[in-house]
Amino acid sequence: MDKKDKLLTIGQFAAMHGINKKTLMWYDEIGLFKPAAINPENGYRCYSYHQSPVLETILLLRELDVSIKEIQHFMGKRSAGSLKALLEEKMAGLDMQITHLQAIRTLLCTHHQNMATLLAMDLSEICIIEKEERCLITVDIDENTSFEQEVELITTEAEKYHLGRLHKASYGSMIPVASLLNNSFDTYSNLFIEIPFLPYQDGLHITPGGKYLRAFHKGDWDRISERYEEILAYAKEHNLTLHGFSYEAGINENVIDRIEDYIIQIEIPILG
């Protein structure tokens, strides 16, 4: 007699699959997974080694959060085609969860980097950094756009991309470099939303990859023009050509209570 034809006790079969024997008893009670035989002497449930693939399929589906009702329906019409369709559906759901978790991790990394920068930063420093190309969602604004309108614009745009919660993205504002060169330091042309792993599509703003000038400004917005004057002077001294837009983003909103402590990160692409 093949050893694989030998019947196993419920305890042995449960241990082989890493589950509690009460789970097997419940599966039997609801008709989902029956034992191969019942011992006539003591009424104990017995299982065959050949039932293992079926049980493992059930356990896999449970691990994928498939409901008992769905599994019962599947088991009643089990076939290669129905299992393939069910697994494809669940794989698609997993892919969405993975993408979501990757986006959350990217956002956490951004916050972590911001905190590391805060702890080590020299607010007076102006430096050159390397950045990768990014896709940004932008909305147009001008000097006549009120704060209430800005909030409405950002909220409406976020809804288009099914953002859900504001914490799932980072936000900022943009000023054309051409305006800065004309000593116009408050002509904001856009607000932007950066969503991790946002795929390219028509209508998105692409920030160029390459070198950027980075600086920081703390406190009153009325004095940010002074910081831009320092940035332009630095670029001139080092023969740097700035182009495109200046991208401003707050990096410490979640650790301050006073607007006087607010720190804006300024990043401007360098040509060449």
Side-chain angles (χ1 to χ4, degrees):
M1 179 179 178
D2 192 323
K3 290 183 179 179
K4 292 182 178 180
D5 292 328
K6 186 178 179 180
L7 292 178
L8 303 169
T9 67
I10 188 171
Q12 290 172 327
F13 197 68
M16 187 169 71
H17 292 277
I19 60 174
N20 192 299
K21 65 181 182 181
K22 289 184 178 179
T23 301
L24 288 174
M25 295 170 65
W26 181 50
Y27 285 172
D28 181 17
E29 290 169 4
I30 64 175
L32 178 60
F33 185 73
K34 293 286 187 181
I38 301 294
N39 189 317
E41 297 179 1
N42 52 28
Y44 289 172
R45 298 171 175 86
C46 299
Y47 295 83
S48 164
Y49 174 85
H50 298 289
Q51 289 180 283
S52 288
V54 176
L55 178 59
E56 282 299 323
T57 299
I58 293 172
L59 296 178
L60 170 63
L61 295 177
R62 289 298 291 150
E63 194 170 343
L64 294 173
D65 290 327
V66 180
S67 70
I68 289 294
K69 186 175 181 179
E70 286 181 284
I71 296 176
Q72 287 176 317
H73 178 75
F74 163 74
M75 295 299 291
K77 299 180 179 180
R78 191 165 82 253
S79 69
S82 61
L83 181 57
K84 176 176 177 290
L86 183 57
L87 292 178
E88 285 174 350
E89 176 188 339
K90 296 306 173 183
M91 284 190 295
L94 277 176
D95 287 342
M96 290 180 64
Q97 290 181 37
I98 290 169
T99 299
H100 172 72
L101 289 174
Q102 287 176 328
I104 292 296
R105 191 183 191 285
T106 297
L107 195 60
L108 289 176
C109 287
T110 298
H111 286 312
H112 180 270
Q113 181 58 50
N114 286 345
M115 296 307 102
T117 300
L118 282 172
L119 292 171
M121 73 185 343
D122 176 0
L123 286 176
S124 65
E125 181 184 26
I126 299 174
C127 64
I128 297 173
I129 61 166
E130 288 279 346
K131 290 184 70 70
E132 296 182 356
E133 181 181 279
R134 299 175 296 160
C135 293
L136 302 179
I137 302 164
T138 60
V139 294
D140 297 335
I141 60 171
D142 57 35
E143 66 275 8
N144 297 316
T145 308
S146 68
F147 176 73
E148 290 76 15
Q149 289 172 321
E150 291 181 357
V151 171
E152 184 177 342
L153 287 168
I154 285 292
T155 302
T156 300
E157 203 65 23
E159 288 175 352
K160 290 181 184 178
Y161 291 85
H162 309 290
L163 187 56
R165 298 285 300 279
L166 292 179
H167 77 270
K168 295 180 180 179
S170 52
Y171 305 84
S173 53
M174 298 160 54
I175 304 177
V177 168
S179 296
L180 299 178
L181 296 176
N182 287 325
N183 296 318
S184 181
F185 303 117
D186 58 358
T187 53
Y188 292 91
S189 60
N190 302 89
L191 302 176
F192 71 79
I193 308 171
E194 182 175 6
I195 302 175
F197 300 103
L198 180 67
Y200 173 78
Q201 49 193 290
D202 290 341
L204 293 180
H205 174 85
I206 307 300
T207 66
K211 289 182 169 53
Y212 280 67
L213 208 57
R214 173 184 282 175
F216 300 94
H217 172 71
K218 181 178 180 179
D220 195 342
W221 262 279
D222 291 340
R223 301 191 62 181
I224 198 170
S225 60
E226 297 174 13
R227 192 54 169 156
Y228 273 119
E229 288 172 352
E230 294 170 353
I231 292 170
L232 295 177
Y234 180 95
K236 183 176 181 180
E237 180 184 350
H238 293 82
N239 296 315
L240 303 175
T241 302
L242 307 180
H243 73 109
F245 294 86
S246 171
Y247 301 92
E248 297 181 7
I251 64 170
N252 68 335
E253 299 104 319
N254 51 357
V255 293
I256 62 169
D257 295 316
R258 304 185 314 149
I259 194 63
E260 294 84 357
D261 296 323
Y262 189 68
I263 297 175
I264 301 169
Q265 177 177 271
I266 300 168
E267 294 179 340
I268 310 174
I270 297 171
L271 190 63

